[in-house]
Amino acid sequence: MRIEGRGLCQSNTSVPFTFDGERLTGREGDTLAAALIANDKRVVGRSFKYHRPRGILTAGSEEPNALVTIGHGPQQDPNVRATVQELYEGLEARSQNAFPSVSFDLMAVNDLMSPFLGAGFYYKTFMWPKNFWEKLYEPIIRRAAGLGALSGLTNEDTYEKAYAFCDVLVIGAGPTGLMAALGAARAGADVIVADEDSRMGGRLLAETGEVDGKPGHAWAADIVAELATMDNVRLMHRTAVTGAYDQGTYGALERVGQHHPHQPGKPLECFWRIVARRAILCAGALERPVAFPNNDRPGIMTAGAVRAYLNRWGVVAGRKVAVFANNDGAHRTALDLMAAGVDVSAVIDSRAEAQALGDYKLFTGAQVIGTKGRKGLESLSIRQSDRTLRIEAECLAVSGGWNPSVHLACHMNGRPEWNAETLSFLPRDGMVPGMTAAGAARGQFSTAACLADGARVAKEVVIELGLTPSDTAMPRAEDRPYRIEELWAVEGRGRKWLDFQNDVHVKDVRLAAQENFRSVEHMKRYTTQGMATDQGKNSNVAALAVLADATGRGIPETGTTTFRPPYTPVSIAAMGAGSQGEGFAPKRVTTSHTASVDRGAPMIEAGLWYRPSYFPKPDERTWQESCNREVTMVRNAVGICDVSTLGKIDIQGPDAAAFLDFVYTNTFSTLKVGRVRYGLMLREDGHVMDDGTTARMGKSHFVMTTTTAAAGLVMRHLAWVSQALRPDLDVVFTSATEQWAQFAVAGPKSRDLLDAVVDGGIDPESWPFMACGEVDVMGVRGRLFRISFSGEHAYEIAVPAGYGAALYRVLLAQAETMGGGAYGMEALNVMRIEKGHITHAEIHGRTTAFDIGFEGMVSKKTDCVGFSASRRPGLLEESREQLVGLHPVDPAGKLTAGAHLFEDRAEPVRTNDHGYVTSVCHSPTLGHDLALGFLTNGRARHGETIKMVDHLRGVTTLARVCDPVFFDKEGARVRG
Amino acid sequence: MRIPCPICGTRDRREFTYQGAAELLRRPAPDAGDAAWDDYLHNRDNPCGEARDLWFHEAGCGAWLVVERDTATHEVMGAELAEKVAS
Amino acid sequence: MGYSGFRVLKEGLFGQTGWKPVWRDPDPKPEYDIVIIGGGGHGLSTAYYLAKEHGLTNIAVLEKGYIGGGNVGRNTTIVRANYFLPGNSEFYSHSLKLWEGLEQDLNYNVMHSQRGLINLFHSDGQRDAFARRGNAMVNQGDDAILLDRDGVREHLPYLDFDNLRFPIYGGLYHPRGGTARHDAVAWGYARGADQRGVDLIQNCEVTGIDIHNGKVTGVQTTRGAIRAKKVGIVVAGRSGQVAEMAGMRLPIESHVLQAFVTEGLKPIIDHVVSFGMGHFYISQSDKGGLVFGGDLDFYSSYASRGNLPMAEHVMDAAMTLMPVIGKAKVLRSWGGIMDMTPDGSPIIDKTGTEGLFIDCGWCYGGFKAVPGSGFSFAHLMATGRHHEPAARFRLDRFRTGRGLMDEEGTGSQHNLH
Amino acid sequence: MANLVALSPCEGLLPQTIGAVTIAEIDPGPVTAILPFKGQDKAVGEALKSALGLGFPAPGRSQSKGGARAIWVGKGEALLMGAACPDLAGAACVDQSDAWCVVEIVGDRAEDVLARLVPLDLRASQFKRGHTARTLLGRMTASATRSGAKAFEIMVFRSMAETLVEELTRAAGAVAARG
């Protein structure tokens, strides 16, 4: 119901929206909750377990009941708090977790079953028959559970993440936060004020009290206006600080584009990481309900929420309102309502000594013991001493006192402290280093106390930051004491809700205690209290008090639960902004990328890089056909392959050779200038880390090549060795991977091809196998390496990357005139398997130099990284799985990677397992499949027939064990 | 978490790669024996409280650091270059 | 007291007044045959199997906080047997078999749900590695199915198949993989052990281990000295500190692993899905929350809370793999302390002290191991002999290099996982 | 035979103006990584000074003289840009002219755009003209230098030029969409 003349926004702009398909109108400045109240919508949701009708409980992000779904299609957003969602034209809201509708929900049958569905009942049943859990019980439970539904469609909205830095982060812009911000800002600190509301002012917007002689909201607006003019202040509206992390880092969620119709391209939300030297927690306090029979009816709200709806939005959730409280503050609700002309039927105060603040009917020492009205409150029963009365009310404003919002202060495992005076948990100093709580967040509940506390803490903080505090006059405001007496749960029969969403009653907590779930953590986990979307904001303290009572302990001995980030729920899309689709990792492309794509090559991921898989010709139908052709082409003519993705590290210095001797298992100090050597690198644990070739470009100048996959790892490793293990060595290095575009030119015609491209041609005498040096390539200074991964006479030619695209096209054009062309990763892989060259399929992290047959490269050393650990007996035993080649006994036999190896007649089970296959190809050169694999004691078993079994693909093949080098064992071609 | 890089100043944890206890700086001689190497590679004090461990400023200056830190509170007391500690 | 649907109905009619404590709260006796340090999942299951399989009941489980307060109550609840290296393979296989009869065995519904687990792969090389793994699983007698891209699409149509940075090549499907209700596992074992006479002693922190002449004689606790003939250390997350009381230095570093849960949602994810490329795994709880996690925070810590960069990284992975869940809202994040061993595999072994045993180093895979670990550790403590499926979980494998179990292939050195 | 023609890393991708920022590629001229050997920092700095009038930059700083610039890029390493590298006996000098993708982002909202990508306080009060940092931009390692009151120079490795442009334009688009 709308109360004319009330509310901060007096604009007459009406805002049309729909709720469950019904067209309604609200007013500019409304939240969805305010608009629903204005339209007399009482049932807006259903509870989780019993599907009880639920209305709106609060006016903030702590709302447990009024969760709705906004929008449709990919924009569909479930579990949105109607109390936070701002109204806009065309807003489409739907109730959720109800079938067929929120006002008539078939699942409400659960409510009738509730005597049987007490805390933890499911642990005690659904066990028979054995297989019925997955098949019957669980699917039913799953369908019934859950709140809103995701659309099932891929997200199409924009989200973003950002960083911000400041001296002082003020969390919350109520009276405390505004004074704190003002104090810090006037002293010259860089200040960020983050407030979750659309409008700053906090409770000043919801109360009628004056500050400095003007309405509180007007004073707040003036301060906000002043702050907005200051260069050193950043005001962040609609921004909830969600987490406190180490060294002054805070997470915060800003609602950027959810308060107006969809604007394509504009982010819906921004997840901020704010780094602050100091933070002032001015998050205020949350009012807590009282547990009394049927206290969950629509129309029963916290008293502060009733005042907020009246004073800020000009709406009331009923024509007759009653108030039930254990503290003075709630009485203001009656005064505000009466001033607005709303009928206040009674104020029920549990305290015997309570005094009326105005002309309303006050029942002291009284309690609400029951309510009526299934789909909306109609009346309540109260008990005062030994009489029981019925009171008419459509809305009941309840206050069990206030809980300071200590949540962020607890994010680093600190526990708050029980304060017997305010009956609440207060933050302790230093729970989060650099954060200080002020105002209601530390139990200061009058406006004057909050203002003063904000100013005081700001002063402390600016002094610590080395700034001079400015004198700020203290505004005048109400300073009523906070008088409260304990009231957690009303005595008597009936279900008394503690956790509204999860339907946890007082009785459930008592049952937990009865079954010896006496620890607060046990109680929480057993009853699910505090595990709903409000994370116990509305129920934790009362549930703790009930548990304390049930176990005969005090509240402080009973403990607290832990608050964890986030303070308010954060969408995955916001925290993962920018990662959808290809944004998850950078893309690295070579200079030949466009040319490869132009030739129709499917590009595959190789780490972050993209590399061509194969280059299909128009008549080729499968990748295998293309691959076979490319292999044959390289073996018979010449092929070009971009190898720029391999890591290249430029290493220089007087001790460069000694450095390489230490990082490689083999020796590089003996390598001649102008020559290349293969090197094997171990981790310190004695297993193979990486391999590659290193070229000696000068006496103290080397260029190391790493595999594509390990380039970053090797760079880190070299830094480790030079800085931490061998700081005595005078050596420097830097990555040169990106400087060079490098292409393999492989095949019997490779020299002829390069002869045509390299200025001055290729003199065979100067370029024997494993030679390297500088050359000019069509006027550009480049490098040439006579190395081969294919087993053919081959080179790698490098030019500065800017020229890469041009050189690649030149090389291809030249190759094509010679019966050659481009080859991709598939062909490269076939040729390396034919030659028994290993990749990370073989050096997969668990293999040693011994396993791959390179033990001779280690044993001669006196020391190198990994040397000592590689001498462990377990890494040198003949029974280890050793690298072997495999070819099918029947040339048509199929080999598969990932298959396991067994003796011919052995059953293929674990206990008979002799090894596995790592790499497989079909060799067009040899006309059958080839494989590399690891076989127990494999080097001694060449010639043996073994059984390869691939259960997953249904393949069993007899294979012969052989040397891993299948083709040109003598290496005649590579030297030719 | 933020780490005070002696070269770059205090930076976000996401710029760093972690590598474990600083005892890795005390590499045994190659002939120190299997017990010494086992200890070096595997066994750890793993303190709950003050610890010295290794971080690499990988997305920053490329320095290896020894960081003094509290593993219970995540307080960071300081950092120095591993190179200085090692030499 | 036995649990059944009938009993639930009866108590419902009589106001739930008949339920008895699920476990007693005994004071510690001065002496036990066996003291188990640690009332988490592994400690409780050890006590249960000592009583059930070996008839030993003069046992105390000492827990410094509350039963099940460690990692068994703060994980992503995944149960699977999809390891491939000898040692791990047979152990997890045995553990899964125990899971499959656990409700009936314990008379407690731990909601073990074999909804199937799918590990996605994103390159030919990963496919080969997963084929090796899947074949090892079948060799062991477990189930594994290699799915191609279309096969994955059939099971998980909501993944982003079109724009993903690392396209889906296929998946390894483990139909018997699934989840369980984590707290219920601790409570079920605790109840079973208690019913067999084991004393579960909460709020009792061990402060010292008494050793005389190389033999363990008891423990010192905050509730007094307790003599014991045998002592088992089962304290994931504190293994280093407790072992130090016995003068041991362990091959363990403690790290934080985060997990996350969203608000409740109607069913959308029916399986357990694991995205290796992004270190991300997810399932949906019976309450409707999406439960998911990622990689370690990557620095040693006992703070049991996570950092923001890793939390973001996990969300990043979620958004690239399944942007369909973008509007799910994370409700809570938490962190557990993992005992990380150099090779990523656990330790169940005797120690250099007679009568002192240790079960630790479960890294981030301890939940699914709860039944198997307890069973094997109980066997070792009761008989003095290693239980066959756990026979390779030796402490000395790092020194000798024999039987290292580096499933990830990242090294048998700390911090490479 | 014709000479090879060079392409720039962002060929065809830039310039772009989005809202209040303009992103353009910069040709850095010759780029040389200079890494002094042990104990040679001073000598290398002096040699640079006498040859080009600028020294070896301190960590986090860049220097410029005429068309030449020296930008610190890591522990013991600086990039000399826009001038041929003089003979420096005490240092490794590695040609990196083609290794980097260099862009400038200019405009009123340049700081806001970078605040979406860089985990570093780039506000003018903290990160002044001539300040440089090695840091992250999105998920790429990058070098960021303030080149003016409203201008930054960003470098990432060449192969990631496309991702750099995507990241910057996406961030700029989101900033612009806020109005």
Side-chain angles (χ1 to χ4, degrees), chain C residues 101-297:
Chain C
L102 200 57
E103 274 104 359
Q104 292 70 33
D105 188 12
L106 296 177
N107 177 228
Y108 205 80
N109 189 356
V110 301
M111 303 181 198
H112 179 218
S113 164
Q114 293 185 293
R115 55 184 69 178
L117 177 150
I118 298 176
N119 279 89
L120 300 169
F121 49 78
H122 307 271
S123 69
D124 289 334
Q126 288 182 356
R127 174 191 292 121
D128 295 347
F130 272 113
R132 178 186 172 194
R133 174 183 299 269
N135 278 314
M137 290 159 67
V138 177
N139 288 342
Q140 172 59 35
D142 293 321
D143 60 333
I145 298 167
L146 199 64
L147 301 175
D148 62 9
R149 189 175 155 89
D150 288 336
V152 172
R153 200 192 289 267
E154 220 165 275
H155 287 283
L156 314 173
Y158 49 82
L159 300 183
D160 188 346
F161 286 88
D162 303 322
N163 301 309
L164 187 59
R165 172 67 177 83
F166 299 102
I168 295 162
Y169 278 51
L172 185 66
Y173 180 32
H174 173 35
R176 284 164 65 226
T179 61
R181 167 86 183 107
H182 56 7
D183 289 324
V185 176
W187 300 340
Y189 274 115
R191 175 169 166 268
D194 178 85
Q195 284 177 342
R196 285 171 169 78
V198 173
D199 282 358
L200 307 179
I201 301 166
Q202 304 187 75
N203 301 308
C204 178
E205 182 171 358
V206 170
T207 55
I209 296 176
D210 298 331
I211 298 168
H212 292 291
N213 301 322
K215 188 176 183 327
V216 75
T217 58
V219 294
Q220 300 292 321
T221 79
T222 50
R223 295 177 69 174
I226 301 173
R227 293 190 300 280
K229 298 184 182 74
K230 291 178 184 174
V231 173
I233 301 174
V234 202
V235 290
R238 301 296 290 186
S239 297
Q241 281 68 39
V242 177
E244 195 186 359
M245 296 174 193
M248 294 169 69
R249 204 162 169 264
L250 295 178
I252 283 177
E253 271 196 11
S254 300
H255 284 256
V256 173
L257 182 71
Q258 300 193 57
F260 308 86
V261 65
T262 69
E263 297 176 341
L265 296 158
K266 292 299 175 193
I268 183 161
I269 293 177
D270 295 332
H271 304 76
V272 181
V273 183
S274 172
F275 172 43
M277 237 20 225
H279 292 284
F280 172 75
Y281 39 89
I282 185 166
S283 66
Q284 187 168 15
S285 78
D286 288 341
K287 277 186 69 190
L290 304 179
V291 180
F292 57 100
D295 219 331
L296 297 175
D297 275 11

Side-chain angles (χ1 to χ4, degrees), chain B residues 23 42 45-46 69 71 74, chain C residues 249 254 298 300-302 414:
Chain B
E23 40 191 302
H42 307 123
D45 291 339
N46 195 21
R69 208 167 52 87
T71 59
H74 291 180
Chain C
R249 204 162 169 264
S254 300
F298 285 120
S300 65
S301 168
Y302 289 87
H414 288 290

Side-chain angles (χ1 to χ4, degrees), chain A residues 272-329:
Chain A
W272 289 90
R273 301 83 134 195
I274 302 173
V275 179
R277 294 168 70 194
R278 295 295 310 265
I280 308 179
L281 180 67
C282 311
L286 298 175
E287 198 163 21
R288 57 198 181 210
V290 175
F292 55 87
N294 290 320
N295 59 337
D296 68 328
R297 306 238 187 255
I300 301 179
M301 308 169 80
T302 62
V306 171
R307 293 199 299 282
Y309 285 114
L310 174 67
N311 296 324
R312 181 169 174 187
W313 289 291
V315 298
V316 176
R319 282 173 297 270
K320 264 186 197 308
V321 184
V323 178
F324 176 34
N326 64 346
N327 63 84
D328 280 359

Side-chain angles (χ1 to χ4, degrees), chain A residues 134 413 872 877 910 951, chain C residues 114 139-140 303 327 398 402:
Chain A
E134 289 96 340
N413 296 342
R872 284 180 282 176
E877 281 162 349
R910 174 180 57 83
H951 301 285
Chain C
Q114 293 185 293
N139 288 342
Q140 172 59 35
K327 287 187 165 60
F398 303 106
R402 282 192 189 95

Side-chain angles (χ1 to χ4, degrees), chain A residues 516-536:
Chain A
N516 216 356
F517 291 101
R518 293 160 58 90
S519 149
V520 63
E521 281 288 345
H522 280 156
M523 180 276 286
K524 173 189 132 183
R525 288 157 185 265
Y526 193 59
T527 64
T528 74
Q529 178 277 321
M531 294 166 85
T533 59
D534 68 337
Q535 287 286 288

Side-chain angles (χ1 to χ4, degrees), chain D residues 132-157:
Chain D
T132 187
R134 286 306 301 269
T135 181
L136 289 165
L137 187 140
R139 294 171 184 83
M140 297 173 284
T141 61
S143 155
T145 307
R146 183 179 280 274
S147 50
K150 294 173 180 175
F152 296 87
E153 202 170 280
I154 305 292
M155 306 200 300
V156 301
F157 281 132

